[in-house]
Amino acid sequence: MRPDSGLTGTMARELFDAQVTSRHLDLAARRLRADGAGYYTIGSAGHEGNAGVAAALRPTDPALLHYRSGAFYAARAAQLAEGKVDAIRDVLRGVVASAAEPIAGGRHKVFGSTDLNVIPTTSTIASHLPRAVGLAFAVERSRQGLDARGSSGRHAADSGQPVLVPPAWPRDAVVLCSFGDASVNHASAVAAFNTAGWSDFTGLRLPLLFVCEDNGLGISVRSPAGWVGETLRSRPGIRYFHADGCDLADTYAVARSAVSWVRRHRRPAVLHLRTVRLMGHAGADAELAYRTPAEIEHDLTLDPLLRTARLLVDAGQASPMELLSRYDEIGWRVQQTAAGVRDEPKLASAAEVVAPLAPRRPLRVAKTIARAAERAAGAALAERHRVFGGRLPEQTGPQTLAQAVNATLTDLMISHPQALVFGEDVARKGGVYGVTKGLRDRFGPARVFDTLLDETSILGLGLGAGLGGLLPIPEIQYLAYLHNAEDQLRGEAASMRFFSQGAYRNPMVVRIAGLAYQKGFGGHFHNDHSVAVLRDIPGLVVAVPSRADDAAAMLRTCVAAAEVDGTVSVFLEPIALYHTRDLHTDGDGGWLSPYAAPDRWADTHVPVGRARSHSYGTGDRLTVLTFGNGVRMSLRVAARLAEEGHGCRVVDLRWLAPLPLADIVREAGATGRVLVVDETRRSGGVGEGVLAALVDAGYVGLARRVAAVDTFLPLGPAADHVLVGEDAIERAARALLAA
């Protein structure tokens, strides 16, 4: 072996086995696909040098892997006790979509294992990189907690130090995140690099090693010569390492240096591995359509398996025949395993497919809230008095929606010491609308802090923090700002339980200020009312409180669901109702609500997917189904109609995903006349889902809908022409009553 590499002969032979295993898995996947028994052929051929990266790490270091990481996975499995993880069987079960596959259960072919600390990701475009930044943040935050007390004990809220749950990984763990060269150009990767560098520049430690496996191609698109290296080398705050990814000794030596540097300094680095891609992008890829025969032949001369074999032979560690025999022996085992798994049972029903997606245990959620109430009224009562400055919110009179959210966040931070609140302007400023005002002073900058202005990074931080044992409550400043980061919710947050069968989870409650009807400020950047993309994400809970008491109860529910089930929720707060005080007349205080004392939290609990009904008069003539700003407008209309003898019930949906289907059907049937008041757009709006639910349930009564016009919102009074108003609601209601 090369004396300067640190790679011993025994290690080289073991890593050669991992490389050969990965290559045979690629070949087996293609044979299975050709036979109609396999469903995935994106392989790792040419990237097997990443086995050297696995050897430089510890099996307790969490890893989020590139989809060409077969040799890494095999090498890490070999680091455990023999037989604990069968990498060959695991991977092949993923290829054939076997329900017995241990991490995703046949839902996708991923590299993932709790025993190996490999966190599954289906990302092909770097969407897992922001999560990796967040996970490194959580790992280091746990380490800080340990350093401060010598254990994972909790800290007082006023200490300014992190308050933590026991860490899931060792105190000196390093987070590994690998990806391909084409991914360096993706917005998610740029966001992750920028956040890691920004954090390092500000003194925030992130023990994170990025590994870029650079084969020079993104499917058929070439990376310009030198571009990837220059891009990675120029990232401020991220130390750059480079190695020949086809040379096992060089890869191991440089990877060991990079890992040691990150582990010692707790700072981010990137390891740039120059690799080749053999056998094309995937099984159906015809490389000759975009590569010359000479280029393909040149890459074959760099085959990492051949170079490792030559290394072993030159060092006297093995003869060519011994290595050929080992190649055949592993190949035979892979073939036998492939034959054994190809006909294993697949997921057999829709229920089996969706089982791990978003479990709901409402009784446990309710009990969790009840226990928190008992603590707040008992052992934590003195703490509440101290944090609230002696003026408990239940003793200060009726509150606005914004005040209720602030008080609830405070109580949640007291009862959940692992909770963090972060986002743009949430700390020193207290939020654009003052909703988080005072939280930083109450709990310190370690738990309430401002982030850089990038929504992808904010959500990625939350995802990684949740994965690392914390309870993140990030804020997206405006709903319109979410849209450039939606994939962090769709492709990363909501899919984690689905692709790990619940083995990994990322509990999170994302607070977003949104919807329309702001006066004196707006345009579609600050009055966005498009929620279709959120309702389309499987398993995501979308809550929209309209009143202060509902806001408090629903926020507690979202946090309890995150704690109990790992639920990812979006808590969408109507901006125009933040500081609204009156309902029918000026000064009536009809939109204010008292804050519930802890002894009433259990009684006022709002389960996910339950609506709230308000009756005016007899309530037997018309049902109005609405949410958010529509609730207040509809209540005002209902009051006027009731004065004329038309009894109405106004149903506040409260939850847009999942919709309160049972309540919708029951309340609609009570009157036989339904008006859906939808402040989102007519096309793709919430109203479509409500009406479809009624049709599916066999509703045969009358129904109408009022919704916003299909347009972006203009600035100023022009918005009134395209938004739902009370006049439109009243006209539609009277038409139904007259029918």
Side-chain angles (χ1 to χ4, degrees):
M1 294 295 98
R2 270 183 17 201
D4 60 338
S5 70
L7 186 68
T8 66
T10 299
M11 289 174 61
R13 291 176 67 97
E14 292 173 347
L15 294 177
F16 177 73
D17 282 357
Q19 292 180 313
V20 170
T21 297
S22 179
R23 182 65 58 84
H24 277 298
L25 286 170
D26 288 354
L27 295 170
R30 292 176 182 239
R31 286 192 292 266
L32 287 165
R33 179 68 184 89
D35 292 343
Y39 306 95
Y40 193 93
T41 57
I42 296 180
S44 306
H47 284 241
E48 291 92 350
N50 56 38
V53 179
L57 291 158
R58 301 169 186 165
T60 52
D61 290 325
L64 296 90
L65 297 180
H66 183 38
Y67 56 83
R68 300 196 190 277
S69 298
F72 183 107
Y73 191 82
R76 178 162 281 196
Q79 293 175 319
L80 270 62
E82 186 175 355
K84 187 169 185 179
V85 174
D86 186 342
I88 293 175
R89 191 172 301 276
D90 285 359
V91 173
L92 289 173
R93 279 176 162 165
V95 168
V96 302
S98 167
E101 192 271 327
I103 190 67
R107 292 167 184 83
H108 204 286
K109 188 268 183 188
V110 296
F111 291 117
S113 169
T114 54
D115 289 327
L116 300 180
N117 290 292
V118 173
I119 298 152
T121 173
T122 61
S123 167
T124 59
I125 51 170
S127 68
H128 61 302
L129 271 67
R131 180 200 293 277
V133 175
L135 182 55
F137 167 85
V139 167
E140 187 61 13
R141 186 56 65 90
S142 295
R143 172 187 172 90
Q144 292 171 6
L146 286 165
D147 287 344
R149 290 275 297 271
S151 70
S152 59
R154 308 188 190 282
H155 301 261
D158 62 344
S159 67
Q161 297 296 320
V163 185
L164 305 167
V165 295
W169 290 281
R171 64 188 304 275
D172 63 344
V174 167
V175 176
L176 181 283
C177 179
S178 59
F179 53 95
D181 56 287
S183 293
V184 302
N185 306 302
H186 195 274
S188 295
V190 174
F193 298 145
N194 185 68
T195 302
W198 182 89
S199 299
D200 186 76
F201 193 80
T202 62
L204 179 64
R205 297 304 185 214
L206 294 176
L208 172 61
L209 178 61
F210 293 114
V211 176
C212 178
E213 299 181 19
D214 177 9
N215 61 36
L217 289 164
I219 306 181
S220 66
V221 179
R222 301 170 191 265
S223 294
W227 168 252
V228 175
E230 189 64 27
T231 297
L232 297 175
R233 190 181 294 108
S234 64
R235 295 291 177 186
I238 302 178
R239 176 134 180 184
Y240 178 80
F241 295 84
H242 178 271
D244 181 353
C246 297
D247 182 330
L248 183 64
D250 189 50
T251 297
Y252 175 71
V254 179
R256 191 172 66 161
S257 295
V259 170
S260 176
W261 188 87
V262 173
R263 202 180 302 279
R264 182 172 66 255
H265 295 286
R266 319 304 292 169
R267 297 176 63 189
V270 60
L271 170 58
H272 181 195
L273 292 182
R274 190 65 179 92
T275 66
V276 292
R277 192 187 71 190
L278 307 179
M279 298 167 60
H281 174 70
D285 183 29
E287 282 194 295
L288 287 174
Y290 54 89
R291 301 187 74 194
T292 67
E295 289 172 332
I296 296 173
E297 185 175 349
H298 173 267
D299 282 359
L300 286 171
T301 67
L302 301 175
D303 187 333
L305 266 66
L306 295 178
R307 294 185 67 178
T308 302
R310 187 177 298 116
L311 178 71
L312 287 166
V313 171
D314 290 347
Q317 293 294 321
S319 69
M321 288 306 299
E322 286 175 328
L323 295 179
L324 284 172
S325 295
R326 187 60 177 159
Y327 181 89
D328 290 341
E329 179 184 341
I330 293 174
W332 180 86
R333 182 186 168 198
V334 170
Q335 289 181 25
Q336 293 299 109
T337 305
V341 304
R342 61 176 292 157
D343 295 322
E344 286 186 345
K346 309 301 188 284
L347 294 168
S349 68
E352 285 188 39
V353 171
V354 303
L357 175 62
R360 300 273 184 262
R361 293 181 287 184
L363 291 179
R364 291 195 183 187
V365 169
K367 289 179 180 178
T368 297
I369 291 173
R371 286 195 297 269
E374 291 174 1
R375 290 194 299 271
L381 181 58
E383 179 72 356
R384 289 189 77 229
H385 274 282
R386 186 192 63 76
V387 171
F388 281 110
R391 298 188 69 219
L392 298 178
E394 59 266 33
Q395 299 171 349
T396 58
Q399 296 187 331
T400 63
L401 189 149
Q403 290 169 330
V405 172
N406 181 281
T408 307
L409 285 172
T410 302
D411 265 326
L412 288 168
M413 296 283 282
I414 295 170
S415 61
H416 294 73
Q418 74 275 35
L420 305 174
V421 171
F422 54 89
E424 301 168 10
D425 299 308
V426 303
R428 292 184 183 275
K429 183 179 177 68
V432 173
Y433 297 95
V435 180
T436 56
K437 186 177 181 180
L439 291 182
R440 183 179 184 272
D441 294 336
R442 294 167 185 164
F443 299 101
R447 296 187 64 197
V448 181
F449 52 89
D450 292 321
T451 64
L452 72 176
L453 274 64
D454 177 63
E455 285 70 31
T456 296
S457 297
I458 292 170
L459 293 178
L461 178 63
L463 293 174
L467 188 63
L470 301 172
L471 181 56
I473 309 177
E475 177 184 299
I476 301 298
Q477 196 167 88
Y478 289 101
L479 179 58
Y481 297 177
L482 171 72
H483 300 308
N484 59 33
E486 287 159 359
D487 193 51
Q488 289 298 298
L489 292 178
R490 182 197 64 82
E492 292 291 324
S495 66
M496 176 56 73
R497 290 192 64 102
F498 186 73
F499 291 122
S500 71
Q501 300 189 93
Y504 289 104
R505 60 185 215 166
N506 37 221
M508 182 167 67
V509 180
V510 185
R511 292 182 46 255
I512 306 178
L515 302 177
Y517 299 97
Q518 288 192 81
K519 300 299 181 183
F521 185 58
H524 75 282
F525 288 115
H526 304 99
N527 270 326
D528 186 25
H529 58 162
S530 177
V531 299
V533 70
L534 295 173
R535 295 190 63 246
D536 187 54
I537 298 175
L540 185 73
V541 169
V542 181
V544 182
S546 63
R547 305 184 64 119
D549 50 352
D550 279 343
M554 293 167 69
L555 185 53
R556 283 193 290 268
T557 296
C558 289
V559 168
E563 184 179 12
V564 170
D565 294 321
T567 301
V568 180
S569 299
V570 166
F571 197 76
L572 182 57
E573 300 163 5
I575 297 172
L577 298 178
Y578 266 148
H579 305 298
T580 298
R581 306 179 68 84
D582 304 324
L583 176 54
H584 298 297
T585 59
D586 290 346
D588 68 9
W591 209 247
L592 302 175
S593 299
Y595 187 79
D599 60 6
R600 295 189 59 242
W601 289 354
D603 296 335
T604 57
H605 168 54
V606 177
V608 172
R610 291 302 308 271
R612 178 179 183 177
S613 183
H614 306 265
S615 288
Y616 279 78
T618 57
D620 60 351
R621 296 290 313 283
L622 175 67
T623 298
V624 181
L625 301 174
T626 187
F627 64 94
N629 294 284
V631 177
R632 183 171 180 271
M633 291 187 291
S634 297
L635 289 174
R636 290 163 61 89
V637 170
R640 292 195 290 270
L641 293 174
E643 291 176 355
E644 301 174 16
H646 303 299
C648 301
R649 56 183 67 198
V650 176
V651 180
D652 183 352
L653 300 176
R654 299 195 291 197
W655 307 93
L656 303 188
L659 283 169
L661 299 179
D663 294 332
I664 288 172
V665 173
R666 184 188 66 253
E667 297 287 353
T671 65
R673 291 181 176 87
V674 170
L675 174 61
V676 179
V677 176
D678 180 6
E679 65 176 282
T680 61
R681 294 195 279 269
R682 178 166 292 273
S683 298
V686 176
E688 291 182 343
V690 173
L691 290 174
L694 289 172
V695 171
D696 290 345
Y699 174 74
V700 294
L702 301 175
R704 296 192 65 161
R705 172 173 57 133
V706 290
V709 175
D710 290 340
T711 181
F712 297 107
L713 295 184
L715 192 64
D720 295 337
H721 299 304
V722 296
L723 290 173
V724 174
E726 289 184 30
D727 289 346
I729 297 172
E730 188 166 342
R731 284 194 301 271
R734 290 187 182 280
L736 277 170
L737 289 168

